[in-house]
Amino acid sequence: MIRLTDIKLPLDHAEGAIEAAVRAKLGLGKDGLRNVSVFRRGYDARKRGHIQLIYTLDVDVADEAGLLKRHADDKHVQPTPDTSYRFVAQAPTDLKQRPIVIGLGPCGLFAGLLLAQMGYRPIILDRGKAVRERTVDTWGLWRKRQLEPESNVQFGEGGAGTFSDGKLHSQISDPHHHGRKVLTEFVKAGAPEEILYVSKPHIGTFRLVTMVEAMRETIEALGGEIRFTQRVDDVLVDTAPDGTRQLRGVVLASGEQLLSEHVVLAVGHSARDTFFMLHDRGVYMEAKPFSIGFRVEHPQSIIDQARFGPQAGHPILGAADYKLVHHCKNGRSVYSFCMCPGGTVVAAASEPERVVTNGMSQYSRNERNANAAVVVGIEPSDFAAFDDSGSPLAGIALQRALESRAYELGGRDYSAPGQLVGDFIKGRPSAEFGTVQPSYKPGVHLTDLAAALPDYAIEAIREALPAFDRQIKGYAMHDAVLTGVETRTSSPVRIRRGEDYQSLNTRGLYPAGEGTGYAGGILSAAVDGIRVAEAVALAINASR
């Protein structure tokens, strides 16, 4: 097979245009081309009204060797790489200890799936509930203002990614094509096949629920064991005379001990009590940067028009997204994050009397509003104003302080504080909504958001919004809505690991995924789960 890249065609090209473009590119006659398949389809929307589709194609030709020789100097004509997945190991028949995976978000799900597929029969522990029970609890906060601290947007089967846009694209380096394995497994579990070839695939919350259930069934059918409502409250660590530390197992909230010398730590970025426990047990970790800000909502039609012009609404293009960044005079950077076309802003709290926002879309992306986080990057040096102890967990103190303040500003009933963009820029409280009605449930209480974040963050966002308006006309429209606060863009800590994927100072503990600082989103977390599962399998086999 030969892979052709950068094949450009009009948005509304004829059915046979792809094959014609291939023949023209390669100089092939009628009998030279056997088959064409689309590996990826993206678009170039830089010229409004003249949007082009950009294809990566795999073609089967009669004389592959000769064709590659003729096009040896063309970087867009290359052999098709082998993206098939190959397992690195198989479990021994006399497996003495089963590996444990803590967490059933995208990372834990794929770590568990890969270990099960290799025959290691993992035990997977999640502090939350199965995805459908968890969904009921999550709606309890949205509809009834009732928070379940162990079952919500953050905790439970599927992880935080379940209540998101279900984006499946990433900029991680992936030389072994693990991302392809992730997408293939998702399709097997019920995702639409288009995620295999569109440039920015997404699934949406409702489809993710059924897919997660299907993958759970696969893991169990392969001998894996999944235990819900099983919070890990402690770890068992032996320290040798030379100071070497070896993990021996975990202790559940019930007091039950599970022994294993290979434990994948795939907790999410909100497992704060777990971070504190591990820190108390001497596991090496460090503070890391993250970002804070608000969610902003606009009419989706404004974003579509700004990005696509007269071709807005085309079924191939769907709802438009955006990615913006502005470098401020005060040295801070403001950027858009987790943009959800045609979606909703959701309550994402996991601790009582705190308010946190996130964004979510269904597969259809057909809600009235677009939303995205508009956030300011912060560094560990910013944490001292909230915790000056020098602890690597100081970022959690900052998050908690801002989330508690948002709870107060929202009226102390899990409503979120909000403000119109025009009023925010001018520094005055908002009194009533305009054309943009906020989607956040249980509700938005209009106020002055200047008190919701540190002064440097407010100053930076006020500067950035008009700058973003110069890129997307209407972005700073007066009655667009800001909702606070967004504090969980990524984990506030990194639990350092070595090249063998084990903790730097605690053998047998494998930090993985977003919560421990090694991913940012569904795809990258799932890929990290695969990598760590491979490391666990190789370590188990090497220790026999």
PDB file of all heavy atoms in Angstrom, residues 474-493:
ATOM      1  N   GLY A 474     -17.312  39.031  17.214  1.00  0.00           N
ATOM      2  CA  GLY A 474     -18.421  38.746  18.105  1.00  0.00           C
ATOM      3  C   GLY A 474     -18.001  38.044  19.385  1.00  0.00           C
ATOM      4  O   GLY A 474     -18.835  37.847  20.273  1.00  0.00           O
ATOM      5  N   TYR A 475     -16.727  37.702  19.500  1.00  0.00           N
ATOM      6  CA  TYR A 475     -16.287  36.972  20.684  1.00  0.00           C
ATOM      7  C   TYR A 475     -16.490  37.793  21.950  1.00  0.00           C
ATOM      8  O   TYR A 475     -16.835  37.255  23.009  1.00  0.00           O
ATOM      9  CB  TYR A 475     -14.811  36.565  20.553  1.00  0.00           C
ATOM     10  CG  TYR A 475     -14.430  35.401  21.445  1.00  0.00           C
ATOM     11  CD1 TYR A 475     -14.550  34.098  20.994  1.00  0.00           C
ATOM     12  CD2 TYR A 475     -13.968  35.607  22.735  1.00  0.00           C
ATOM     13  CE1 TYR A 475     -14.229  33.023  21.797  1.00  0.00           C
ATOM     14  CE2 TYR A 475     -13.638  34.539  23.558  1.00  0.00           C
ATOM     15  CZ  TYR A 475     -13.772  33.249  23.077  1.00  0.00           C
ATOM     16  OH  TYR A 475     -13.458  32.184  23.892  1.00  0.00           O
ATOM     17  N   ALA A 476     -16.265  39.085  21.869  1.00  0.00           N
ATOM     18  CA  ALA A 476     -16.436  39.955  23.037  1.00  0.00           C
ATOM     19  C   ALA A 476     -17.812  40.632  23.039  1.00  0.00           C
ATOM     20  O   ALA A 476     -17.979  41.693  23.649  1.00  0.00           O
ATOM     21  CB  ALA A 476     -15.331  41.000  23.085  1.00  0.00           C
ATOM     22  N   MET A 477     -18.793  40.010  22.388  1.00  0.00           N
ATOM     23  CA  MET A 477     -20.149  40.574  22.385  1.00  0.00           C
ATOM     24  C   MET A 477     -20.604  40.798  23.824  1.00  0.00           C
ATOM     25  O   MET A 477     -20.279  40.025  24.729  1.00  0.00           O
ATOM     26  CB  MET A 477     -21.112  39.644  21.656  1.00  0.00           C
ATOM     27  CG  MET A 477     -21.246  38.265  22.260  1.00  0.00           C
ATOM     28  SD  MET A 477     -22.304  37.139  21.288  1.00  0.00           S
ATOM     29  CE  MET A 477     -23.915  37.827  21.620  1.00  0.00           C
ATOM     30  N   HIS A 478     -21.367  41.858  24.018  1.00  0.00           N
ATOM     31  CA  HIS A 478     -21.709  42.275  25.378  1.00  0.00           C
ATOM     32  C   HIS A 478     -22.388  41.177  26.176  1.00  0.00           C
ATOM     33  O   HIS A 478     -22.074  40.967  27.355  1.00  0.00           O
ATOM     34  CB  HIS A 478     -22.617  43.507  25.336  1.00  0.00           C
ATOM     35  CG  HIS A 478     -23.129  43.910  26.686  1.00  0.00           C
ATOM     36  ND1 HIS A 478     -22.326  44.547  27.615  1.00  0.00           N
ATOM     37  CD2 HIS A 478     -24.355  43.732  27.270  1.00  0.00           C
ATOM     38  CE1 HIS A 478     -23.042  44.746  28.724  1.00  0.00           C
ATOM     39  NE2 HIS A 478     -24.267  44.266  28.537  1.00  0.00           N
ATOM     40  N   ASP A 479     -23.331  40.455  25.570  1.00  0.00           N
ATOM     41  CA  ASP A 479     -24.122  39.525  26.362  1.00  0.00           C
ATOM     42  C   ASP A 479     -23.696  38.066  26.231  1.00  0.00           C
ATOM     43  O   ASP A 479     -24.445  37.164  26.601  1.00  0.00           O
ATOM     44  CB  ASP A 479     -25.613  39.672  26.060  1.00  0.00           C
ATOM     45  CG  ASP A 479     -25.948  39.588  24.590  1.00  0.00           C
ATOM     46  OD1 ASP A 479     -25.018  39.505  23.771  1.00  0.00           O
ATOM     47  OD2 ASP A 479     -27.143  39.591  24.254  1.00  0.00           O
ATOM     48  N   ALA A 480     -22.493  37.809  25.708  1.00  0.00           N
ATOM     49  CA  ALA A 480     -21.905  36.482  25.914  1.00  0.00           C
ATOM     50  C   ALA A 480     -21.732  36.285  27.421  1.00  0.00           C
ATOM     51  O   ALA A 480     -21.599  37.259  28.172  1.00  0.00           O
ATOM     52  CB  ALA A 480     -20.572  36.371  25.190  1.00  0.00           C
ATOM     53  N   VAL A 481     -21.739  35.063  27.868  1.00  0.00           N
ATOM     54  CA  VAL A 481     -21.785  34.789  29.302  1.00  0.00           C
ATOM     55  C   VAL A 481     -20.509  34.093  29.772  1.00  0.00           C
ATOM     56  O   VAL A 481     -20.073  33.097  29.177  1.00  0.00           O
ATOM     57  CB  VAL A 481     -23.006  33.914  29.662  1.00  0.00           C
ATOM     58  CG1 VAL A 481     -23.005  33.572  31.150  1.00  0.00           C
ATOM     59  CG2 VAL A 481     -24.294  34.630  29.283  1.00  0.00           C
ATOM     60  N   LEU A 482     -19.939  34.632  30.846  1.00  0.00           N
ATOM     61  CA  LEU A 482     -18.844  33.975  31.563  1.00  0.00           C
ATOM     62  C   LEU A 482     -19.418  33.281  32.799  1.00  0.00           C
ATOM     63  O   LEU A 482     -20.230  33.853  33.516  1.00  0.00           O
ATOM     64  CB  LEU A 482     -17.798  34.995  32.010  1.00  0.00           C
ATOM     65  CG  LEU A 482     -16.963  35.661  30.924  1.00  0.00           C
ATOM     66  CD1 LEU A 482     -16.187  36.839  31.506  1.00  0.00           C
ATOM     67  CD2 LEU A 482     -16.001  34.665  30.289  1.00  0.00           C
ATOM     68  N   THR A 483     -18.995  32.048  33.036  1.00  0.00           N
ATOM     69  CA  THR A 483     -19.430  31.281  34.199  1.00  0.00           C
ATOM     70  C   THR A 483     -18.202  30.759  34.924  1.00  0.00           C
ATOM     71  O   THR A 483     -17.265  30.257  34.303  1.00  0.00           O
ATOM     72  CB  THR A 483     -20.325  30.096  33.768  1.00  0.00           C
ATOM     73  OG1 THR A 483     -21.382  30.573  32.947  1.00  0.00           O
ATOM     74  CG2 THR A 483     -20.900  29.382  34.974  1.00  0.00           C
ATOM     75  N   GLY A 484     -18.216  30.887  36.265  1.00  0.00           N
ATOM     76  CA  GLY A 484     -17.017  30.503  37.020  1.00  0.00           C
ATOM     77  C   GLY A 484     -17.261  29.337  37.958  1.00  0.00           C
ATOM     78  O   GLY A 484     -18.388  29.063  38.342  1.00  0.00           O
ATOM     79  N   VAL A 485     -16.189  28.654  38.329  1.00  0.00           N
ATOM     80  CA  VAL A 485     -14.825  28.840  37.887  1.00  0.00           C
ATOM     81  C   VAL A 485     -14.340  27.554  37.231  1.00  0.00           C
ATOM     82  O   VAL A 485     -14.878  26.484  37.478  1.00  0.00           O
ATOM     83  CB  VAL A 485     -13.872  29.185  39.053  1.00  0.00           C
ATOM     84  CG1 VAL A 485     -14.092  30.596  39.564  1.00  0.00           C
ATOM     85  CG2 VAL A 485     -13.951  28.164  40.182  1.00  0.00           C
ATOM     86  N   GLU A 486     -13.320  27.685  36.396  1.00  0.00           N
ATOM     87  CA  GLU A 486     -12.643  26.544  35.785  1.00  0.00           C
ATOM     88  C   GLU A 486     -11.279  26.415  36.461  1.00  0.00           C
ATOM     89  O   GLU A 486     -10.412  27.274  36.302  1.00  0.00           O
ATOM     90  CB  GLU A 486     -12.469  26.763  34.282  1.00  0.00           C
ATOM     91  CG  GLU A 486     -11.808  25.612  33.579  1.00  0.00           C
ATOM     92  CD  GLU A 486     -12.781  24.653  32.908  1.00  0.00           C
ATOM     93  OE1 GLU A 486     -13.986  24.955  32.872  1.00  0.00           O
ATOM     94  OE2 GLU A 486     -12.322  23.605  32.411  1.00  0.00           O
ATOM     95  N   THR A 487     -11.102  25.362  37.247  1.00  0.00           N
ATOM     96  CA  THR A 487      -9.861  25.201  38.020  1.00  0.00           C
ATOM     97  C   THR A 487      -9.187  23.855  37.791  1.00  0.00           C
ATOM     98  O   THR A 487      -8.109  23.621  38.325  1.00  0.00           O
ATOM     99  CB  THR A 487     -10.159  25.312  39.523  1.00  0.00           C
ATOM    100  OG1 THR A 487     -11.208  24.396  39.851  1.00  0.00           O
ATOM    101  CG2 THR A 487     -10.578  26.718  39.905  1.00  0.00           C
ATOM    102  N   ARG A 488      -9.822  22.985  37.012  1.00  0.00           N
ATOM    103  CA  ARG A 488      -9.275  21.627  36.888  1.00  0.00           C
ATOM    104  C   ARG A 488      -8.913  21.309  35.445  1.00  0.00           C
ATOM    105  O   ARG A 488      -9.289  20.276  34.889  1.00  0.00           O
ATOM    106  CB  ARG A 488     -10.269  20.615  37.459  1.00  0.00           C
ATOM    107  CG  ARG A 488     -10.645  20.952  38.899  1.00  0.00           C
ATOM    108  CD  ARG A 488     -11.317  19.815  39.608  1.00  0.00           C
ATOM    109  NE  ARG A 488     -11.911  20.261  40.859  1.00  0.00           N
ATOM    110  CZ  ARG A 488     -12.581  19.478  41.697  1.00  0.00           C
ATOM    111  NH1 ARG A 488     -12.724  18.191  41.418  1.00  0.00           N
ATOM    112  NH2 ARG A 488     -13.099  19.956  42.800  1.00  0.00           N
ATOM    113  N   THR A 489      -8.176  22.232  34.859  1.00  0.00           N
ATOM    114  CA  THR A 489      -7.727  22.035  33.481  1.00  0.00           C
ATOM    115  C   THR A 489      -6.749  20.880  33.378  1.00  0.00           C
ATOM    116  O   THR A 489      -6.677  20.205  32.353  1.00  0.00           O
ATOM    117  CB  THR A 489      -7.053  23.312  32.970  1.00  0.00           C
ATOM    118  OG1 THR A 489      -6.043  23.718  33.912  1.00  0.00           O
ATOM    119  CG2 THR A 489      -8.076  24.438  32.824  1.00  0.00           C
ATOM    120  N   SER A 490      -5.965  20.674  34.419  1.00  0.00           N
ATOM    121  CA  SER A 490      -5.044  19.538  34.486  1.00  0.00           C
ATOM    122  C   SER A 490      -4.672  19.329  35.943  1.00  0.00           C
ATOM    123  O   SER A 490      -5.053  20.110  36.815  1.00  0.00           O
ATOM    124  CB  SER A 490      -3.792  19.779  33.634  1.00  0.00           C
ATOM    125  OG  SER A 490      -3.012  20.839  34.165  1.00  0.00           O
ATOM    126  N   SER A 491      -3.925  18.281  36.192  1.00  0.00           N
ATOM    127  CA  SER A 491      -3.560  17.961  37.572  1.00  0.00           C
ATOM    128  C   SER A 491      -2.620  19.015  38.153  1.00  0.00           C
ATOM    129  O   SER A 491      -1.750  19.524  37.442  1.00  0.00           O
ATOM    130  CB  SER A 491      -2.886  16.587  37.630  1.00  0.00           C
ATOM    131  OG  SER A 491      -2.556  16.246  38.952  1.00  0.00           O
ATOM    132  N   PRO A 492      -2.777  19.325  39.436  1.00  0.00           N
ATOM    133  CA  PRO A 492      -1.847  20.269  40.071  1.00  0.00           C
ATOM    134  C   PRO A 492      -0.546  19.610  40.528  1.00  0.00           C
ATOM    135  O   PRO A 492       0.309  20.293  41.078  1.00  0.00           O
ATOM    136  CB  PRO A 492      -2.649  20.774  41.279  1.00  0.00           C
ATOM    137  CG  PRO A 492      -3.524  19.624  41.646  1.00  0.00           C
ATOM    138  CD  PRO A 492      -3.880  18.945  40.352  1.00  0.00           C
ATOM    139  N   VAL A 493      -0.413  18.291  40.339  1.00  0.00           N
ATOM    140  CA  VAL A 493       0.800  17.586  40.759  1.00  0.00           C
ATOM    141  C   VAL A 493       1.274  16.661  39.645  1.00  0.00           C
ATOM    142  O   VAL A 493       0.511  16.268  38.765  1.00  0.00           O
ATOM    143  CB  VAL A 493       0.569  16.754  42.047  1.00  0.00           C
ATOM    144  CG1 VAL A 493       0.113  17.644  43.186  1.00  0.00           C
ATOM    145  CG2 VAL A 493      -0.418  15.625  41.804  1.00  0.00           C
TER     146      VAL A 493
END
